[in-house]
Amino acid sequence: MPFKASGSDDGYPGDPSQSYCQHFRSSVEVMPMLKQPNKHHKINFWYDEPPICTLRQYLECYSKNIADVKVYVRDNCECPVPCDFLIYDPTISFASTSVYATERLLASTASQKLHQKYKRARETTARMDPLKFSHFRYLAAGMRSSLNSLRKVIEVSVRSRLEQQIDTLKSVYEEVNRVSSDKLYLVKWQKYHVDKNFVRARQAMEERTLMYLALGFQELSYQIESRIWQISHGPRSPEDNVTMTEDVRTGLFLDALDLINGRIDLADRAFANYTQLFGAFYNGTPIFRYKYEDEPRSENIYVTPRPLLNQSLYHNSYAAKYSRRVGVDINQFKLALEKYRTLLEKSYFQGNITDDEIHKNNIFFLSRGRVLYSSKSSFYLESIEYPSRILAVRIAELERRWRKFESNFQSMYGKVIKLTENLNYLGDTILGSLEKSVAEAEIYILHAHNSNINITKMEVARSLTSAKILKGKNELENFFDDIRSRGQSVYDDWSTLNTSTGDIWQLVLDDENLREFYEHRNLTEMLRDLTEVLTEVAVNFTQHRDDCDFRFELGNLDSLFLMSVEQMMDAMKAYITGSALDKDFIQNNFLQLDVYYKEKSYEQITQQRAYDLFALMCDIGGSMGLFVGASVLTICELLDLGLHKSVRHFAQTMNNPPR
């Protein structure tokens, strides 16, 4: 007999006025008529179905009366096989609700009504059960408290420190950018000034004198040597076919003398140009007066890199050697020319010049020409072009350090901006959604016993476990992790920014070439001691770093808040899961008993007559056919004979009535 594990102790659902036991006893009379009991009862507990015993009915009614039922069946049953073999075994060997029955119940329309009733019962229990209601109120209060504390810290402390950090970074960037830009402008001005007013002067002097002084000195040596020989000894070979008259000798003498005197004059002017160029670099006095952009020419004297120009003359052994040797080599070259002039005059006036004298002077002149070329090239490379190269390197280094500073700044500034954007997004969306859900929970708690407020715990549970809240919770966790990791990164970046800022200040202040300009313009900021500035920058950056540090503002508030959210979400998920009318609910709250026969087969004995009338007739017919040859046709013939005799006798009787 099936029973359900939960339900009321009322009577049979089909007839509330009749108790189940009364119905059971009245059903005893019809029990012998059952030919084959149902193997499975349908689990449908509402309308037009057999009665289902409750647990109390089973214990108080069925178990007490089953013995009487068995006795009644045994005494009153007229079946060939005793009915006690067909009585159900009341022993429970296995009790469950089958999957088929569960799915059939869930698919029926009746389950919707049950679900609605169950939801109302759950809602009533949630409101009226003190333990459950107080636990929900405790979770909501904890969530509200942690949310308020977290919002206060985020909206006030963290936001203010982020904004302070942004303002501080902007201020640092503007200051370093101003200092770096001013320095870059001045160094570019210096390079332009050096290139145009110093190095270009060398180019002009080269084009006018220095380049032509030793130009073609080998050819010049040959020309002078040939003229001296011709003046002294006549034509070098008979093929020349030249008659050496006095006029010809005089013409050759004057031509060679003009050639030599011209080079000597060029040597004097070249030496004067060299002296001026050397003095310009040594004293820092510009030769030309080009101006830079809109700067007045009068300012060039102050921006001149005097130490650098002076240093270019002795910054290495080559510069120290050849910067002063060029003048000596010019004079030596001039001396070789003067010796040529002496030989020329001797050959013209005395006419007794030997090959050995001419050869020695040629060797001396050619060596002086080669030395002059070498020393002049070294002087240009190691001294004249040196300041321009150094200034170009300083410009490139300053730009490199600025790019490094800007890269560090952009990385640091981007992290702070990203945190600020995440914070704004957090306040506008995630915290707003959580605030709304907590407010709904508080409204539910406040008006839990007021039927006019149309809000249920299920609605609160669905709101607190929605995908939006779950996504917001995950984004909160990411934000808190991000604010700590980025906060640590920003904290460390202050040290990197301090280093890159110090590098720029070091390049700005550690420059004696602009000190005269700083003093002239009264730029006291640029005249400070480098060590003091670096110390000041380090102290300021450390203070900014500590004042703007937001890593520890949260403390453990985020953990407490996330814990309260998780506890609330777990409780709401459990409530929603517990309110579902599903397979687990049916199997946990309803029970189906499968009742089987004690024996699955039985033996039926039937009594029949061993020799009936039909068998007798068959035996008579067989004996007749065996012994007298009679058959069915014979019987028919006998019947026909008897019928014919009867009809004939009847006819005779009718025709001859008795008298």
Side-chain angles (χ1 to χ4, degrees):
M1 180 70 67
F3 69 91
K4 62 179 180 179
S6 63
S8 64
D9 294 332
D10 298 334
Y12 173 50
D15 186 4
S17 63
Q18 183 181 26
S19 69
Y20 183 85
C21 292
Q22 293 173 347
H23 180 83
F24 175 79
R25 294 189 182 95
S26 64
S27 300
V28 170
E29 298 177 359
V30 299
M31 289 185 67
M33 300 174 61
L34 296 174
K35 297 300 182 182
Q36 184 178 358
N38 291 332
K39 182 178 180 181
H40 298 286
H41 281 291
K42 297 179 180 179
I43 303 181
N44 193 326
F45 309 121
W46 296 279
Y47 305 101
D48 301 329
E49 295 292 339
I52 306 300
C53 289
T54 64
L55 185 60
R56 177 177 294 178
Q57 290 171 347
Y58 173 81
L59 296 174
E60 295 181 355
C61 175
Y62 179 81
S63 61
K64 293 180 179 180
N65 294 285
I66 189 62
D68 297 337
V69 174
K70 291 181 178 180
V71 172
Y72 177 83
V73 171
R74 185 176 60 252
D75 296 340
N76 297 281
C77 182
E78 298 179 355
C79 296
V81 179
C83 285
D84 57 353
F85 288 102
L86 304 178
I87 295 300
Y88 300 114
D89 187 356
T91 303
I92 300 177
S93 59
F94 177 74
S96 67
T97 303
S98 66
V99 176
Y100 171 78
T102 301
E103 294 178 352
R104 184 175 180 182
L105 173 61
L106 292 175
S108 65
T109 56
S111 64
Q112 298 179 0
K113 298 179 181 179
L114 176 62
H115 193 193
Q116 294 175 358
K117 293 180 180 180
Y118 182 58
K119 286 174 62 178
R120 289 195 295 269
R122 291 274 293 175
E123 184 66 31
T124 302
T125 302
R127 295 173 184 265
M128 304 306 296
D129 190 329
L131 294 177
K132 294 182 179 180
F133 187 77
S134 61
H135 180 64
F136 178 74
R137 181 168 55 192
Y138 168 77
L139 294 177
M143 192 172 175
R144 164 58 69 185
S145 176
S146 59
L147 178 60
N148 289 341
S149 301
L150 186 65
R151 293 200 71 157
K152 181 179 180 181
V153 170
I154 290 178
E155 296 295 338
V156 178
S157 300
V158 176
R159 183 181 295 277
S160 63
R161 288 180 179 262
L162 287 174
E163 292 174 352
Q164 180 184 359
Q165 189 136 214
I166 291 175
D167 295 338
T168 303
L169 286 173
K170 288 181 178 179
S171 176
V172 170
Y173 180 83
E174 291 174 357
E175 179 184 4
V176 177
N177 184 32
R178 176 184 58 81
V179 172
S180 178
S181 300
D182 292 346
K183 176 66 176 181
L184 184 62
Y185 178 83
L186 292 176
V187 177
K188 287 183 177 180
W189 184 3
Q190 282 186 324
K191 187 176 185 304
Y192 179 86
H193 177 53
V194 169
D195 290 342
K196 293 294 185 180
N197 298 329
F198 289 88
V199 178
R200 183 174 173 78
R202 183 266 298 178
Q203 296 173 351
M205 294 175 182
E206 181 74 9
E207 293 171 357
R208 295 174 184 176
T209 61
L210 294 172
M211 181 178 68
Y212 297 105
L213 176 60
L215 181 64
F217 65 91
Q218 290 181 335
E219 181 182 357
L220 177 64
S221 174
Y222 177 76
Q223 292 175 353
I224 296 174
E225 178 189 0
S226 297
R227 283 166 175 74
I228 293 174
W229 178 267
Q230 290 175 359
I231 293 172
S232 177
H233 302 284
R236 281 184 174 272
S237 64
E239 289 81 7
D240 291 341
N241 196 19
V242 177
T243 302
M244 187 60 62
T245 63
E246 190 62 28
D247 292 337
V248 173
R249 290 182 73 250
T250 302
L252 290 174
F253 170 73
L254 294 176
D255 181 63
L257 185 61
D258 290 339
L259 185 61
I260 293 173
N261 288 336
R263 287 297 177 107
I264 291 174
D265 179 67
L266 190 61
D268 291 335
R269 286 187 286 120
F271 184 78
N273 288 336
Y274 158 75
T275 303
Q276 183 183 13
L277 185 61
F278 183 88
F281 275 76
Y282 185 81
N283 299 316
T285 305
I287 299 175
F288 294 153
R289 298 184 68 250
Y290 287 96
K291 72 171 186 176
Y292 179 69
E293 295 185 356
D294 296 331
E295 299 293 339
R297 289 183 173 88
S298 59
E299 297 295 309
N300 285 343
I301 191 66
Y302 301 106
V303 82
T304 302
R306 301 180 191 278
L308 178 61
L309 293 173
N310 186 268
Q311 182 186 4
S312 66
L313 300 176
Y314 57 85
H315 67 92
N316 60 28
S317 59
Y318 286 97
K321 177 180 179 180
Y322 290 105
S323 61
R324 299 180 181 274
R325 183 172 172 175
V326 173
V328 175
D329 291 338
I330 292 175
N331 289 329
Q332 289 292 316
F333 191 79
K334 177 183 176 182
L335 178 62
L337 289 172
E338 290 176 345
K339 287 185 176 183
Y340 268 132
R341 186 171 62 182
T342 303
L343 288 175
L344 178 64
E345 291 175 349
K346 183 179 179 181
S347 67
Y348 180 73
F349 293 107
Q350 298 178 6
N352 57 352
I353 300 300
T354 64
D355 289 340
D356 186 55
E357 290 178 309
I358 297 175
H359 180 67
K360 288 181 178 180
N361 199 73
N362 284 341
I363 293 175
F364 179 73
F365 178 79
L366 293 175
S367 66
R368 291 304 92 192
R370 287 191 292 269
V371 170
L372 177 59
Y373 263 117
S374 176
S375 60
K376 184 178 65 171
S377 299
S378 298
F379 174 58
Y380 289 164
L381 179 64
E382 298 295 338
S383 297
I384 302 302
E385 297 174 0
Y386 175 77
S388 182
R389 291 200 305 270
I390 294 300
L391 292 173
V393 170
R394 289 182 180 177
I395 291 173
E397 179 64 16
L398 183 59
E399 291 176 342
R400 186 192 67 81
R401 295 188 184 188
W402 166 252
R403 288 193 300 270
K404 179 181 178 182
F405 168 83
E406 190 172 30
S407 175
N408 294 335
F409 168 81
Q410 292 295 343
S411 174
M412 186 176 178
Y413 187 76
K415 295 173 184 177
V416 179
I417 291 297
K418 184 63 177 179
L419 285 174
T420 304
E421 293 175 352
N422 292 343
L423 184 63
N424 294 333
Y425 173 77
L426 181 72
D428 296 339
T429 57
I430 302 173
L431 291 181
S433 300
L434 289 171
E435 179 72 32
K436 181 180 178 181
S437 299
V438 174
E440 291 178 355
E442 291 175 339
I443 294 175
Y444 170 80
I445 293 172
L446 183 63
H447 303 284
H449 305 293
N450 187 356
S451 59
N452 295 328
I453 302 300
N454 190 20
I455 183 171
T456 64
K457 187 174 182 179
M458 181 61 70
E459 294 175 351
V460 176
R462 295 191 183 281
S463 175
L464 288 170
T465 57
S466 63
K468 186 176 182 180
I469 297 297
L470 180 60
K471 179 182 177 182
K473 172 182 170 293
N474 295 332
E475 290 180 349
L476 275 177
E477 292 178 349
N478 295 334
F479 173 76
F480 295 139
D481 293 339
D482 193 37
I483 203 172
R484 285 187 170 86
S485 61
R486 288 182 186 269
Q488 182 63 45
S489 179
V490 170
Y491 185 87
D492 296 336
D493 285 345
W494 277 108
S495 300
T496 306
L497 196 66
N498 174 48
T499 302
S500 58
T501 303
D503 292 341
I504 291 178
W505 274 110
Q506 187 271 334
L507 202 60
V508 169
L509 298 180
D510 191 13
D511 187 2
E512 60 181 354
N513 294 289
L514 281 171
R515 180 168 294 276
E516 183 179 357
F517 181 82
Y518 294 154
E519 293 174 350
H520 169 68
R521 292 284 182 94
N522 196 25
L523 300 176
T524 57
E525 181 184 28
M526 302 297 186
L527 295 172
R528 293 184 296 170
D529 182 69
L530 175 61
T531 304
E532 294 180 358
V533 172
L534 294 180
T535 302
E536 180 182 347
V537 169
V539 170
N540 290 337
F541 277 28
T542 302
Q543 184 176 358
H544 294 327
R545 180 190 64 185
D546 296 338
D547 292 343
C548 301
D549 188 14
F550 49 83
R551 295 174 300 162
F552 306 110
E553 290 296 322
L554 290 175
N556 64 338
L557 291 177
D558 58 325
S559 301
L560 295 176
F561 175 70
L562 291 175
M563 185 183 300
S564 65
V565 173
E566 290 177 357
Q567 291 176 349
M568 177 62 82
M569 292 183 71
D570 291 342
M572 295 299 97
K573 287 178 182 178
Y575 181 80
I576 294 174
T577 303
S579 300
L581 187 63
D582 54 9
K583 174 183 176 181
D584 294 335
F585 174 80
I586 296 298
Q587 292 183 347
N588 292 333
N589 292 275
F590 293 89
L591 180 66
Q592 172 184 339
L593 291 182
D594 292 335
V595 182
Y596 299 92
Y597 288 116
K598 191 172 184 180
E599 296 290 340
K600 293 185 178 181
S601 62
Y602 63 91
E603 181 181 0
Q604 183 177 357
I605 301 174
T606 305
Q607 294 182 353
Q608 297 180 347
R609 289 185 178 90
Y611 197 73
D612 54 7
L613 180 62
F614 181 75
L616 178 62
M617 296 299 295
C618 290
D619 289 340
I620 294 174
S623 298
M624 291 178 63
L626 178 63
F627 293 106
V628 296
S631 63
V632 177
L633 182 60
T634 305
I635 294 174
C636 293
E637 290 177 348
L638 291 174
L639 291 175
D640 179 65
L641 178 62
L643 180 61
H644 178 73
K645 292 292 185 182
S646 298
V647 171
R648 184 176 181 182
H649 176 72
F650 180 73
Q652 291 178 357
T653 303
M654 293 298 295
N655 294 329
N656 299 309
R659 298 181 177 175

